[in-house]
Amino acid sequence: MLKMDAGALTAFLARDFPQVCDDFLVERADEDGLTIRLRVDERHLRPGGTVSGPSMFGLADVAVYLAILSRIGPVALAVTTNCSIDFMRKPAAATDLICDVRLLKLGRVLAVGDCLIRSDGVEAPVARASLTYSIPAT
Amino acid sequence: MLKMDAGALTAFLARDFPQVCDDFLVERADEDGLTIRLRVDERHLRPGGTVSGPSMFGLADVAVYLAILSRIGPVALAVTTNCSIDFMRKPAAATDLICDVRLLKLGRVLAVGDCLIRSDGVEAPVARASLTYSIPAT
Amino acid sequence: MLKMDAGALTAFLARDFPQVCDDFLVERADEDGLTIRLRVDERHLRPGGTVSGPSMFGLADVAVYLAILSRIGPVALAVTTNCSIDFMRKPAAATDLICDVRLLKLGRVLAVGDCLIRSDGVEAPVARASLTYSIPAT
Amino acid sequence: MLKMDAGALTAFLARDFPQVCDDFLVERADEDGLTIRLRVDERHLRPGGTVSGPSMFGLADVAVYLAILSRIGPVALAVTTNCSIDFMRKPAAATDLICDVRLLKLGRVLAVGDCLIRSDGVEAPVARASLTYSIPAT
């Protein structure tokens, strides 16, 4: 049922999103969902050394997008219509973030996924997010 | 670490929320979270026989509230400050709803939990919700 | 551009939602949006006499639904797909709630509206909500 | 009641957020709220030339933050705890975004604001967002 595995998703990112593809590493892609790593770099940080809100939003956004593509293939141009995100703890300083995604719905028109984001090596999540994508008619 | 188990939560509901306590059944309460059943009744239904949005909201709201009390005891008067809810599928007609809660954060001031709601006996979730509660200083 | 005015929306509620139509009063419907009153009654209250969360959710849900129908007519069967709601203040005890809706987007597939809810006669809002409806193809 | 006006907020951004201060221009700060401009640049764009989701999230986040500071001064270290954002239309290509903020609640512990984001010169909003900030005890 998986149309794109971790390797295919990585190749897709490199080709279609060259400006951000170095930020993200697809660590797992299977029927339960995906794991994506944000390779934290200077440009993701706020003063104080923790990852910024927009960087965490971007991670969740890419992660759900890739979870959808893993099922439908690199075909349609899905767009984010809604995101709700809770910032629960301060990320560890200068540490990669690990984002686990579950694809909860993949309909004809809408897809919904949710994410838990952790600092690499830390159990307690720093953020959770849920996103809705609209899938254009083909 | 659990200050109230399923029995204690049920007794708490019966005493403090007599008007809704017959709606809800605490099926599980452990360190991972809770499972709450909504005993679906005429008053929860919309025309067509499916459970209404406000009833699903109410289920998620009670479920996260009880998850917090299971950890801190029946002490503080926590209040909901935010809820984000995605309605993903139509519930099965005239069927109980099962709500699984994870308590993702229990801070001094704020607590965050998320829920997956399913029709009893059906795997695909009908809704997901995340809620924030504010915990008053004691 | 308005396909249903306050009178038409009221008649629609009475015919299609007899079980809740006494709860709601359409006070205004124009091209900027709607104002809906929740006639607060015993069954909307929590212990302490304030309006419950599910009642406020239900008010916001109905309000955006009617705002959509005011533009497209009583045709399609729109369904709520997402709601985000912030509870900001305690409502005044035993006081009607007034909900002002803005329809921010009315697309072919999705509609988005947001609401401010106040206790009648009080300026500071008790809640805000934003809702997305999916509009089925006709 | 305003502790920081547009000039003071701009100076604060330049001093405390040098890495993003060129992105944002405070166009208005009064008791009703703020207007912030995102000076759109290459780094805010996705393939196709429209502003990216993370850039819009960042704009809403900064805008509500500044709305809070305009009232309480550059004192406390407020942190975002929740954001709900709806992406409703494609932004105009290579065009600044204008974000209007309303501060809906400024409590002792939590503040809530909402935003409408438009492409400069276009009436229909491209996004709406609501954010909660936690204000640390001083």
Side-chain angles (χ1 to χ4, degrees):
Chain A
M1 256 178 92
L2 221 58
K3 293 218 176 155
M4 298 174 80
D5 61 11
L9 292 169
T10 299
F12 169 83
L13 269 186
R15 195 183 59 233
D16 284 27
F17 294 90
Q19 69 279 54
V20 297
C21 72
D22 290 339
D23 291 6
F24 302 112
L25 186 64
V26 183
E27 301 211 326
R28 176 184 65 97
D30 57 34
E31 299 204 356
D32 291 330
L34 275 76
T35 302
I36 311 282
R37 171 184 297 263
L38 176 69
R39 290 159 152 158
V40 168
D41 188 272
E42 194 63 40
R43 70 186 170 288
H44 303 119
L45 304 180
R46 274 197 196 284
T50 60
V51 179
S52 73
S55 297
M56 283 191 265
F57 172 88
L59 170 59
D61 195 26
V62 162
V64 174
Y65 184 60
L66 294 179
I68 295 169
L69 294 195
S70 75
R71 300 291 193 83
I72 65 175
V75 191
L77 200 67
V79 294
T80 312
T81 58
N82 174 263
C83 174
S84 167
I85 186 164
D86 293 290
F87 300 100
M88 300 185 292
R89 292 173 185 86
K90 212 170 144 168
T95 302
D96 283 0
L97 293 181
I98 307 294
C99 177
D100 286 301
V101 189
R102 299 184 296 186
L103 197 58
L104 298 173
K105 176 195 165 100
L106 179 58
R108 206 175 36 80
V109 173
L110 294 178
V112 178
D114 72 356
C115 307
L116 269 188
I117 299 177
R118 295 180 171 88
S119 291
D120 192 13
V122 182
E123 181 64 19
V126 301
R128 64 144 295 281
S130 37
L131 291 101
T132 302
Y133 272 80
S134 170
I135 303 171
T138 45
Chain B
M1 256 176 92
L2 221 58
K3 292 218 176 154
M4 299 175 79
D5 61 11
L9 293 169
T10 300
F12 169 83
L13 270 186
R15 195 183 59 233
D16 283 28
F17 293 89
Q19 70 279 51
V20 298
C21 71
D22 291 339
D23 290 8
F24 302 112
L25 186 65
V26 183
E27 301 210 327
R28 175 184 64 98
D30 57 34
E31 299 205 356
D32 291 330
L34 274 77
T35 302
I36 311 283
R37 173 184 295 264
L38 176 69
R39 291 159 152 158
V40 169
D41 189 272
E42 194 63 39
R43 71 185 169 288
H44 302 121
L45 304 181
R46 274 195 196 284
T50 59
V51 178
S52 73
S55 297
M56 284 191 264
F57 172 88
L59 170 59
D61 195 24
V62 162
V64 174
Y65 184 60
L66 294 179
I68 296 169
L69 295 196
S70 76
R71 300 290 194 83
I72 65 174
V75 190
L77 199 68
V79 295
T80 313
T81 59
N82 173 264
C83 174
S84 168
I85 185 165
D86 292 291
F87 299 101
M88 300 186 291
R89 292 174 185 87
K90 213 170 144 166
T95 302
D96 283 0
L97 293 181
I98 308 295
C99 177
D100 285 302
V101 190
R102 299 184 296 185
L103 197 58
L104 298 173
K105 177 195 164 98
L106 179 58
R108 207 174 37 80
V109 173
L110 294 177
V112 178
D114 72 356
C115 306
L116 269 188
I117 298 178
R118 294 183 171 86
S119 291
D120 192 14
V122 182
E123 181 62 20
V126 300
R128 65 143 296 280
S130 37
L131 291 101
T132 302
Y133 272 80
S134 170
I135 303 171
T138 44
Chain C
M1 257 176 92
L2 220 59
K3 292 219 176 153
M4 297 174 80
D5 62 10
L9 293 169
T10 300
F12 169 82
L13 270 186
R15 195 183 59 234
D16 284 27
F17 294 90
Q19 69 280 52
V20 298
C21 72
D22 290 339
D23 290 8
F24 302 112
L25 185 65
V26 183
E27 300 211 327
R28 175 184 65 97
D30 57 34
E31 300 204 355
D32 292 330
L34 274 78
T35 302
I36 311 282
R37 172 184 296 263
L38 175 68
R39 290 158 153 159
V40 169
D41 188 271
E42 194 63 40
R43 71 186 167 286
H44 304 119
L45 304 181
R46 273 196 196 283
T50 59
V51 178
S52 74
S55 298
M56 284 192 264
F57 172 88
L59 170 59
D61 195 25
V62 162
V64 174
Y65 184 60
L66 293 179
I68 295 168
L69 295 195
S70 75
R71 300 290 194 83
I72 65 175
V75 191
L77 200 67
V79 295
T80 312
T81 57
N82 172 264
C83 175
S84 166
I85 186 164
D86 293 291
F87 300 100
M88 300 186 291
R89 294 175 185 85
K90 211 171 145 167
T95 302
D96 283 0
L97 292 182
I98 308 295
C99 177
D100 286 301
V101 189
R102 300 184 296 185
L103 196 59
L104 298 173
K105 176 193 165 98
L106 179 58
R108 206 173 38 78
V109 173
L110 294 177
V112 178
D114 72 355
C115 306
L116 269 187
I117 298 178
R118 295 181 170 88
S119 291
D120 192 14
V122 181
E123 181 63 19
V126 301
R128 66 145 294 283
S130 37
L131 291 101
T132 301
Y133 272 79
S134 170
I135 303 171
T138 45
Chain D
M1 258 178 90
L2 221 58
K3 292 218 176 153
M4 297 174 82
D5 62 11
L9 293 168
T10 300
F12 169 82
L13 270 186
R15 196 184 57 233
D16 283 27
F17 294 90
Q19 70 279 53
V20 297
C21 72
D22 291 338
D23 290 7
F24 302 112
L25 185 65
V26 183
E27 300 211 326
R28 175 184 65 97
D30 58 33
E31 300 203 356
D32 291 330
L34 274 77
T35 302
I36 311 282
R37 171 183 297 263
L38 177 68
R39 290 158 152 159
V40 169
D41 189 270
E42 194 63 40
R43 73 187 166 285
H44 303 120
L45 304 181
R46 274 196 196 285
T50 60
V51 179
S52 73
S55 298
M56 285 192 263
F57 172 88
L59 171 58
D61 196 25
V62 162
V64 173
Y65 184 61
L66 293 178
I68 295 168
L69 295 195
S70 76
R71 300 288 194 83
I72 65 175
V75 190
L77 200 69
V79 295
T80 312
T81 58
N82 172 264
C83 174
S84 168
I85 186 164
D86 294 291
F87 299 101
M88 301 185 292
R89 293 175 184 85
K90 212 170 144 165
T95 301
D96 282 0
L97 293 181
I98 308 295
C99 177
D100 286 301
V101 190
R102 300 184 296 186
L103 197 58
L104 297 173
K105 177 194 165 99
L106 179 58
R108 205 174 38 79
V109 174
L110 294 177
V112 178
D114 72 356
C115 307
L116 269 187
I117 298 178
R118 295 182 170 87
S119 291
D120 192 13
V122 181
E123 180 64 19
V126 301
R128 65 143 295 282
S130 36
L131 291 101
T132 301
Y133 272 79
S134 170
I135 303 171
T138 44

PDB file of all heavy atoms in Angstrom, chain B residues 123-136:
ATOM      1  N   GLU B 123     -12.323   0.382  13.500  1.00  0.00           N
ATOM      2  CA  GLU B 123     -10.933   0.772  13.688  1.00  0.00           C
ATOM      3  C   GLU B 123     -10.672   2.235  13.312  1.00  0.00           C
ATOM      4  O   GLU B 123     -10.024   2.977  14.050  1.00  0.00           O
ATOM      5  CB  GLU B 123     -10.026  -0.154  12.845  1.00  0.00           C
ATOM      6  CG  GLU B 123      -8.534   0.121  12.951  1.00  0.00           C
ATOM      7  CD  GLU B 123      -7.989  -0.081  14.367  1.00  0.00           C
ATOM      8  OE1 GLU B 123      -8.656  -0.792  15.169  1.00  0.00           O
ATOM      9  OE2 GLU B 123      -6.920   0.474  14.671  1.00  0.00           O
ATOM     10  N   ALA B 124     -11.173   2.671  12.155  1.00  0.00           N
ATOM     11  CA  ALA B 124     -10.845   4.016  11.656  1.00  0.00           C
ATOM     12  C   ALA B 124     -11.454   5.083  12.570  1.00  0.00           C
ATOM     13  O   ALA B 124     -12.638   5.041  12.886  1.00  0.00           O
ATOM     14  CB  ALA B 124     -11.374   4.179  10.234  1.00  0.00           C
ATOM     15  N   PRO B 125     -10.646   6.058  13.018  1.00  0.00           N
ATOM     16  CA  PRO B 125     -11.155   7.051  13.977  1.00  0.00           C
ATOM     17  C   PRO B 125     -12.166   8.007  13.337  1.00  0.00           C
ATOM     18  O   PRO B 125     -12.026   8.385  12.178  1.00  0.00           O
ATOM     19  CB  PRO B 125      -9.896   7.809  14.405  1.00  0.00           C
ATOM     20  CG  PRO B 125      -8.893   7.565  13.334  1.00  0.00           C
ATOM     21  CD  PRO B 125      -9.216   6.239  12.724  1.00  0.00           C
ATOM     22  N   VAL B 126     -13.178   8.410  14.099  1.00  0.00           N
ATOM     23  CA  VAL B 126     -14.142   9.400  13.606  1.00  0.00           C
ATOM     24  C   VAL B 126     -13.672  10.823  13.895  1.00  0.00           C
ATOM     25  O   VAL B 126     -14.028  11.754  13.185  1.00  0.00           O
ATOM     26  CB  VAL B 126     -15.561   9.192  14.179  1.00  0.00           C
ATOM     27  CG1 VAL B 126     -16.078   7.813  13.804  1.00  0.00           C
ATOM     28  CG2 VAL B 126     -15.611   9.380  15.686  1.00  0.00           C
ATOM     29  N   ALA B 127     -12.884  10.995  14.943  1.00  0.00           N
ATOM     30  CA  ALA B 127     -12.422  12.346  15.286  1.00  0.00           C
ATOM     31  C   ALA B 127     -11.132  12.272  16.077  1.00  0.00           C
ATOM     32  O   ALA B 127     -10.827  11.256  16.702  1.00  0.00           O
ATOM     33  CB  ALA B 127     -13.479  13.088  16.107  1.00  0.00           C
ATOM     34  N   ARG B 128     -10.358  13.355  15.998  1.00  0.00           N
ATOM     35  CA  ARG B 128      -9.242  13.541  16.918  1.00  0.00           C
ATOM     36  C   ARG B 128      -9.396  14.927  17.537  1.00  0.00           C
ATOM     37  O   ARG B 128      -9.954  15.834  16.924  1.00  0.00           O
ATOM     38  CB  ARG B 128      -7.881  13.384  16.254  1.00  0.00           C
ATOM     39  CG  ARG B 128      -7.547  14.443  15.185  1.00  0.00           C
ATOM     40  CD  ARG B 128      -6.104  14.867  15.167  1.00  0.00           C
ATOM     41  NE  ARG B 128      -5.760  15.519  16.417  1.00  0.00           N
ATOM     42  CZ  ARG B 128      -6.060  16.807  16.680  1.00  0.00           C
ATOM     43  NH1 ARG B 128      -6.679  17.576  15.828  1.00  0.00           N
ATOM     44  NH2 ARG B 128      -5.729  17.323  17.848  1.00  0.00           N
ATOM     45  N   ALA B 129      -8.893  15.067  18.742  1.00  0.00           N
ATOM     46  CA  ALA B 129      -8.989  16.358  19.415  1.00  0.00           C
ATOM     47  C   ALA B 129      -7.783  16.543  20.301  1.00  0.00           C
ATOM     48  O   ALA B 129      -7.229  15.575  20.830  1.00  0.00           O
ATOM     49  CB  ALA B 129     -10.259  16.427  20.267  1.00  0.00           C
ATOM     50  N   SER B 130      -7.348  17.786  20.462  1.00  0.00           N
ATOM     51  CA  SER B 130      -6.322  18.122  21.448  1.00  0.00           C
ATOM     52  C   SER B 130      -6.867  19.262  22.291  1.00  0.00           C
ATOM     53  O   SER B 130      -7.503  20.171  21.761  1.00  0.00           O
ATOM     54  CB  SER B 130      -5.007  18.505  20.766  1.00  0.00           C
ATOM     55  OG  SER B 130      -5.240  19.225  19.579  1.00  0.00           O
ATOM     56  N   LEU B 131      -6.624  19.174  23.594  1.00  0.00           N
ATOM     57  CA  LEU B 131      -7.180  20.174  24.516  1.00  0.00           C
ATOM     58  C   LEU B 131      -6.112  20.657  25.478  1.00  0.00           C
ATOM     59  O   LEU B 131      -5.243  19.886  25.896  1.00  0.00           O
ATOM     60  CB  LEU B 131      -8.335  19.583  25.337  1.00  0.00           C
ATOM     61  CG  LEU B 131      -9.602  19.270  24.528  1.00  0.00           C
ATOM     62  CD1 LEU B 131      -9.676  17.801  24.222  1.00  0.00           C
ATOM     63  CD2 LEU B 131     -10.842  19.755  25.266  1.00  0.00           C
ATOM     64  N   THR B 132      -6.211  21.930  25.808  1.00  0.00           N
ATOM     65  CA  THR B 132      -5.364  22.508  26.848  1.00  0.00           C
ATOM     66  C   THR B 132      -6.236  22.900  28.026  1.00  0.00           C
ATOM     67  O   THR B 132      -7.303  23.495  27.845  1.00  0.00           O
ATOM     68  CB  THR B 132      -4.626  23.757  26.326  1.00  0.00           C
ATOM     69  OG1 THR B 132      -3.841  23.396  25.196  1.00  0.00           O
ATOM     70  CG2 THR B 132      -3.720  24.360  27.396  1.00  0.00           C
ATOM     71  N   TYR B 133      -5.794  22.538  29.203  1.00  0.00           N
ATOM     72  CA  TYR B 133      -6.444  22.964  30.433  1.00  0.00           C
ATOM     73  C   TYR B 133      -5.499  23.876  31.204  1.00  0.00           C
ATOM     74  O   TYR B 133      -4.292  23.645  31.235  1.00  0.00           O
ATOM     75  CB  TYR B 133      -6.786  21.754  31.318  1.00  0.00           C
ATOM     76  CG  TYR B 133      -8.132  21.149  31.016  1.00  0.00           C
ATOM     77  CD1 TYR B 133      -8.294  20.278  29.938  1.00  0.00           C
ATOM     78  CD2 TYR B 133      -9.251  21.443  31.790  1.00  0.00           C
ATOM     79  CE1 TYR B 133      -9.531  19.725  29.659  1.00  0.00           C
ATOM     80  CE2 TYR B 133     -10.489  20.891  31.522  1.00  0.00           C
ATOM     81  CZ  TYR B 133     -10.627  20.038  30.455  1.00  0.00           C
ATOM     82  OH  TYR B 133     -11.850  19.488  30.178  1.00  0.00           O
ATOM     83  N   SER B 134      -6.088  24.886  31.820  1.00  0.00           N
ATOM     84  CA  SER B 134      -5.349  25.737  32.732  1.00  0.00           C
ATOM     85  C   SER B 134      -5.615  25.249  34.152  1.00  0.00           C
ATOM     86  O   SER B 134      -6.762  24.989  34.527  1.00  0.00           O
ATOM     87  CB  SER B 134      -5.827  27.183  32.547  1.00  0.00           C
ATOM     88  OG  SER B 134      -5.316  28.000  33.559  1.00  0.00           O
ATOM     89  N   ILE B 135      -4.534  25.086  34.909  1.00  0.00           N
ATOM     90  CA  ILE B 135      -4.643  24.564  36.273  1.00  0.00           C
ATOM     91  C   ILE B 135      -4.403  25.715  37.229  1.00  0.00           C
ATOM     92  O   ILE B 135      -3.315  26.293  37.247  1.00  0.00           O
ATOM     93  CB  ILE B 135      -3.605  23.446  36.501  1.00  0.00           C
ATOM     94  CG1 ILE B 135      -3.806  22.334  35.469  1.00  0.00           C
ATOM     95  CG2 ILE B 135      -3.691  22.909  37.920  1.00  0.00           C
ATOM     96  CD1 ILE B 135      -2.719  21.287  35.464  1.00  0.00           C
ATOM     97  N   PRO B 136      -5.423  26.095  38.003  1.00  0.00           N
ATOM     98  CA  PRO B 136      -5.252  27.263  38.881  1.00  0.00           C
ATOM     99  C   PRO B 136      -4.210  26.998  39.958  1.00  0.00           C
ATOM    100  O   PRO B 136      -4.030  25.855  40.398  1.00  0.00           O
ATOM    101  CB  PRO B 136      -6.631  27.451  39.514  1.00  0.00           C
ATOM    102  CG  PRO B 136      -7.525  26.421  38.930  1.00  0.00           C
ATOM    103  CD  PRO B 136      -6.711  25.443  38.164  1.00  0.00           C
TER     104      PRO B 136
END
